[in-house]
Amino acid sequence: RINCRIKFLKNYANIDMKKRTTTDVILDKSQIQSGDFFGIIRLDGLDPMLAWAMGSTTGHTTVALWGEDGELYICESTATTSYWDVNGIQKTPYTEWLKKAKEAGFNVVHIPLAPEYRAKMNITAAWEFFNNTEGIDYGYDNMLWGWVDTLKDNYPCAPPNYDRCLSWN
């Protein structure tokens, strides 16, 4: 099944995921700062479809935030599944999140926030937002509308030439 999903990503999203010999790279917490992005693609049925539809190389995104308690958290919104035990907007300590991500079969990329944007980031406001939204359901009903953000543009296209795109009629 994974080979079919890799083929789907290559044929539909133009993403060529080559097999890697290095599979686990664990960043020390000291290398991660608040606002850093972790992009995820899990080779299940949902993430490859999301990546194609969004024109992205990920199906899920998270952000790192250091807490006042000195703990590094990965903040995200996700649903309870066979591989994730918490629903909704949540924070998970980094080391616990890494363990869950590995068990879930996540392919993860870390992208540090650019220095100019890090300087503008308001950590207090980020935590206020998180604290006001923690526990809100994942929002499958809103996910589809993320694709339909304009009337005529931004719809996914189909191979082989990517000149036939979904449209709103």
Side-chain angles (χ1 to χ4, degrees):
R1 289 186 190 183
I2 287 178
N3 287 338
C4 292
R5 292 165 189 150
I6 290 172
K7 185 177 177 183
F8 173 86
L9 285 168
K10 184 172 183 168
N11 291 341
Y12 282 81
N14 208 17
I15 298 169
D16 191 7
M17 290 185 72
K18 299 197 184 312
K19 190 166 181 83
R20 296 181 178 190
T21 55
T22 302
T23 57
D24 290 344
V25 177
I26 308 300
L27 294 177
D28 187 87
K29 289 180 184 182
S30 66
Q31 297 174 285
I32 303 165
Q33 297 183 49
S34 286
D36 285 2
F37 168 86
F38 284 89
I40 295 113
I41 190 159
R42 183 174 188 265
L43 294 174
D44 58 1
L46 183 60
D47 275 8
M49 182 195 57
L50 290 172
W52 166 66
M54 295 184 301
S56 175
T57 56
T58 64
H60 183 65
T61 61
T62 71
V63 65
L65 286 176
W66 281 94
E68 288 182 358
D69 60 359
E71 182 72 57
L72 175 61
Y73 294 97
I74 303 301
C75 300
E76 62 191 321
S77 180
T78 192
T80 304
T81 64
S82 61
Y83 58 88
W84 211 262
D85 61 344
V86 180
N87 185 59
I89 296 175
Q90 59 195 271
K91 66 180 183 191
T92 307
Y94 174 67
T95 52
E96 181 183 333
W97 186 88
L98 283 175
K99 183 176 185 257
K100 288 175 146 185
K102 182 174 174 95
E103 289 171 0
F106 286 2
N107 295 281
V108 181
V109 63
H110 168 248
I111 302 175
L113 187 61
E116 66 183 286
Y117 298 109
R118 186 175 315 288
K120 296 176 183 179
M121 185 168 174
N122 183 333
I123 303 299
T124 302
W127 275 113
E128 285 175 5
F129 174 81
F130 176 83
N131 290 329
N132 286 328
T133 58
E134 183 177 18
I136 292 176
D137 277 346
Y138 176 64
Y140 280 110
D141 51 341
N142 290 325
M143 187 171 55
L144 175 63
W145 295 106
W147 300 350
V148 187
D149 56 358
T150 67
L151 280 178
K152 297 181 182 174
D153 300 312
N154 204 32
Y155 291 94
C157 302
N161 299 324
Y162 301 96
D163 56 359
R164 294 175 311 152
C165 303
L166 298 178
S167 63
W168 187 275
N169 290 325

